[in-house]
Amino acid sequence: MEDNLSETLAFLRARLNAKPEIGMITGTGLGALTERITGEVRIPFEEIPHFPRSTVEGHKGNLAFGNIAGRPIIAMEGRVHLYEGYSPQEVTFPVRVMAGLGVRYLLMSSAAGGLNPQFDRGDLMIVTDHINLKGSNPLTGPNLDRFGPRFPDMSQAYPKDLIRIAKEEAVQSGMMIRQGVYVGVLGPSLETPAETRFLRMIGADAVGMSTVSQTIVAVHCGLRVLAIAVITNVNLPDCMERTSVEDVIEASRKASGVLSDLWERIIARLPGQ
Ligand code: HPA
């Protein structure tokens, strides 16, 4: 892994003219966010040594460098998931790459199913905490001591000052914003009504198939994480509705303009060096 990482970093450093400060990963139907990057260099995942390739509809598969709100950013347009068959280490490799390039923040957006009955389709939810129900942890195996400790503390995985900035910016732009706990599941099958009831009972407000593994690795590397989920469907165990990937993509595409505005405002306010 360390050798692969060195090769990937050497490849990318040769292509970049500035050190990125912010890393961003966008999810299903949310690629539009990164179209706002100015002065960009875009590199398809398949050209980058050791990079995993996204196989899912709604995910583009480019690494983009440039500026948003005047801040140097590196963005993954589309992510890879465990359900595509990648290992937890492969799925989180891009986070290690971002950390290796000198990024301090990891910003993530994803699609999620709402479990909190007060949520509506199209709502945005700031992730305040997570539950890892993916059945794996990306830090198993020998610890990469160069990055972080064997047993990283997860008591403040989503720092409160970043959550506060996100809330303030949403309120100031007159946007309705939710906050809550994200539970990460493996997928790709969606949840049964009994699973949905269970996830709600254990304290989750939204369920999705991403974010959690990347957050764990980001915390291990010392990155500061802020995640916002788009509630693309609401799952109520006593009256479950059918959900299709088309519905998920449609809802996240609809939200992506508003979410891009919010990200831009947040990025402008992130504390500097
Ligand atoms: N469950 C899991 N992942 C999801 C959902 C869902 O209902 N909606 C969007 N991603």
Side-chain angles (χ1 to χ4, degrees), residues 111-113 190-191 207-209 232-233 235 248:
L190 293 158
E191 298 72 40
V207 53
M209 301 173 194
T232 55
N233 50 286
N235 304 334
V248 169

Side-chain angles (χ1 to χ4, degrees), residues 126-127 143 157 236:
I126 301 169
V127 176
N143 184 51
L236 302 174

Side-chain angles (χ1 to χ4, degrees), residues 122-171:
D123 283 355
L124 300 181
M125 185 190 92
I126 301 169
V127 176
T128 54
D129 203 350
H130 79 219
I131 300 173
N132 179 13
L133 279 195
K134 301 187 81 76
S136 69
N137 187 301
L139 302 181
T140 54
N143 184 51
L144 299 173
D145 296 325
R146 201 159 59 79
F147 286 94
R150 172 78 287 188
F151 302 107
D153 176 70
M154 293 293 290
S155 65
Q156 288 152 54
Y158 301 90
K160 288 204 171 60
D161 60 320
L162 301 186
I163 292 173
R164 185 170 346 105
I165 290 173
K167 275 201 270 191
E168 282 172 6
E169 290 305 318
V171 168

Side-chain angles (χ1 to χ4, degrees), residues 251-263:
S252 56
R253 292 232 161 103
K254 269 196 195 148
S256 74
V258 177
L259 184 54
S260 306
D261 291 344
L262 179 59
W263 276 126

Side-chain angles (χ1 to χ4, degrees), residues 62-86:
N62 291 308
L63 200 58
F65 295 95
N67 288 281
I68 289 186
R71 311 279 292 265
I73 190 162
I74 171 173
M76 257 184 103
E77 301 182 297
R79 58 156 72 77
V80 291
H81 307 80
L82 289 175
Y83 64 72
E84 293 173 75
Y86 291 107

Side-chain angles (χ1 to χ4, degrees), residues 43-99:
I43 311 173
F45 290 165
E46 58 262 29
E47 289 180 15
I48 306 173
H50 312 296
F51 232 65
R53 293 165 200 198
S54 179
T55 64
V56 204
E57 197 187 333
H59 285 255
K60 289 197 207 169
N62 291 308
L63 200 58
F65 295 95
N67 288 281
I68 289 186
R71 311 279 292 265
I73 190 162
I74 171 173
M76 257 184 103
E77 301 182 297
R79 58 156 72 77
V80 291
H81 307 80
L82 289 175
Y83 64 72
E84 293 173 75
Y86 291 107
S87 71
Q89 287 74 17
E90 286 171 321
V91 161
T92 53
F93 183 74
V95 177
R96 300 240 180 247
V97 169
M98 288 179 179

